[in-house]
Amino acid sequence: QVQLQESGPGLVKPSQTLSLTCTVSGGSITTSYYAWSWIRQPPGKGLEWMGVIAYDGSTYYADSVKGRFTISRDNAKNTVYLQMNSLKPEDTAVYYCARQSGSYYYAGLDRTKYDYWGQGTQVTVSS
């Protein structure tokens, strides 16, 4: 059984940097044709796809966060990270990591493409 667990500081000030961690158990983050996405849900809004790291370490981002957010991984720790720079109040959301299966990567929110999700972690950007 694959499990994903997000963690990170819950409250940051605007313009600060924050890193979230997605610790994966029950499966390797380097296994072919699984990719690991970050998705967020702002309060009162729908899900928003942020980006993905493929099994070979390649990364892809939504245009809205490209250049500001960075996804990386530590293979030895079986962990995926999301670093968010220059945070804005509109980045306030619940952030999820999720595993995609069956393709190199997928940039969207079709839930049939995802087979495991973390429980989410709240990030609040406020002064």
Side-chain angles (χ1 to χ4, degrees), residues 3-127:
Q3 293 185 318
L4 291 75
Q5 177 73 53
E6 304 94 341
S7 60
L11 177 64
V12 293
K13 291 180 167 53
S15 79
Q16 289 187 336
T17 293
L18 179 150
S19 289
L20 299 179
T21 298
C22 175
T23 303
V24 179
S25 59
S28 173
I29 62 173
T30 61
T31 299
S32 297
Y33 295 103
Y34 290 114
W36 307 85
S37 275
W38 285 97
I39 294 164
R40 71 183 180 186
Q41 186 166 27
K45 297 184 179 181
L47 294 172
E48 181 180 5
W49 183 80
M50 299 282 92
V52 63
I53 185 164
Y55 67 88
D56 63 356
S58 299
T59 54
Y60 305 88
Y61 300 94
D63 288 344
S64 60
V65 301
K66 196 176 297 181
R68 201 161 60 92
F69 288 11
T70 302
I71 298 173
S72 61
R73 69 185 187 185
D74 184 325
N75 295 344
K77 295 182 178 179
N78 213 40
T79 297
V80 178
Y81 303 97
L82 175 66
Q83 180 172 314
M84 302 183 284
N85 298 329
S86 304
L87 282 162
K88 308 171 186 178
E90 50 264 43
D91 293 315
T92 295
V94 177
Y95 284 74
Y96 299 92
C97 61
R99 190 180 83 167
Q100 302 173 2
S101 64
S103 60
Y104 180 60
Y105 84 94
Y106 167 70
L109 294 169
D110 180 350
R111 282 186 177 263
T112 65
K113 305 291 187 185
Y114 299 92
D115 55 2
Y116 292 98
W117 292 71
Q119 85 290 347
T121 188
Q122 175 71 45
V123 172
T124 301
V125 183
S126 175
S127 54

